[in-house]
Amino acid sequence: MNLPARLNGWTVKMLTSLYAALESASEDPAVKVIILTGAGSYYCAGVNLGAAFSVAHPMTLHDFIATENAALFNRFIDLDKPILIAVNGPALGASVTSAVLCDAIIASDKARFSTPFAALGATPEGCSSVTFPRIIGEAAPRMLFDEGWQPTAQEALEIGLVERVVPHDSLLDAAKAMAREW
């Protein structure tokens, strides 16, 4: 994700590009593992609401969000190649819920994970109400609901959200080494 001035927040254009990149990688026999990371200091600030949606009737907007979310999350779920998420900094909202749909998460020691759904008055999305309890057990309600707990990389490792934590400057090298293990 390469929109560091906007903290790699997902826009419609970025999501369209991400979907196309995943599709292309899926069809390329030379690609064995996909590594997804963010440019700059953030992994991803989640959906950039100002750039992702235009003014529309509430039902039109609801249908758009439901359709686009389903397409993106299904792409992560249905991809026939492993996806390794390399979290290089703060990760918020949909970037966290989509990451747990992938095969593994490796985090830099500067990573932090936030799912601010309760604070936004939104329900958890991206299958997180099912995947979080399966992956992180009793820590799931702490992240998904009113407490809004934002674990650091080390805390995320301790609860099983990430597989490895590495020094920030070695994240991509560590991710590539991890990918070679598959």
Side-chain angles (χ1 to χ4, degrees):
M1 296 172 285
N2 190 13
L3 195 55
R6 297 287 185 180
L7 309 176
N8 299 319
W10 287 350
T11 63
V12 171
K13 183 178 178 182
M14 182 187 287
L15 290 175
T16 301
S17 296
L18 177 58
Y19 188 89
L22 291 172
E23 190 69 30
S24 175
S26 176
E27 295 171 359
D28 186 343
V31 174
K32 304 300 181 206
V33 177
I34 297 163
I35 299 173
L36 180 61
T37 194
S41 62
Y42 263 63
Y43 171 68
C44 178
V47 177
N48 180 334
L49 297 174
F53 308 112
S54 58
V55 177
H57 185 277
M59 286 308 297
T60 302
L61 187 57
H62 175 271
D63 291 346
F64 173 79
I65 292 170
T67 301
E68 294 305 312
N69 276 355
L72 178 66
F73 290 121
N74 284 336
R75 188 70 214 137
F76 282 106
I77 292 168
D78 296 336
L79 200 72
D80 60 349
K81 295 186 181 178
I83 304 173
L84 173 58
I85 303 297
V87 182
N88 58 302
L92 285 80
S95 71
V96 179
T97 59
S98 63
V100 301
L101 299 174
C102 298
D103 298 280
I105 303 171
I106 185 171
S108 102
D109 53 11
K110 293 185 179 183
R112 179 175 284 285
F113 300 85
S114 175
T115 52
F117 305 117
L120 296 172
T123 57
E125 38 77 312
C127 310
S128 59
S129 61
V130 174
T131 57
F132 274 49
R134 287 182 182 166
I135 295 169
I136 63 174
E138 294 178 10
R142 293 186 65 201
M143 285 187 72
L144 294 176
F145 302 121
D146 290 339
E147 183 179 342
W149 180 49
Q150 299 176 29
T152 64
Q154 187 58 43
E155 290 168 331
L157 178 66
E158 291 166 6
I159 63 171
L161 183 64
V162 304
E163 280 68 40
R164 295 183 192 164
V165 175
V166 298
H168 182 74
D169 292 337
S170 65
L171 177 64
L172 287 181
D173 289 337
K176 290 174 186 175
M178 190 173 179
R180 284 191 291 275
E181 294 173 11
W182 289 335

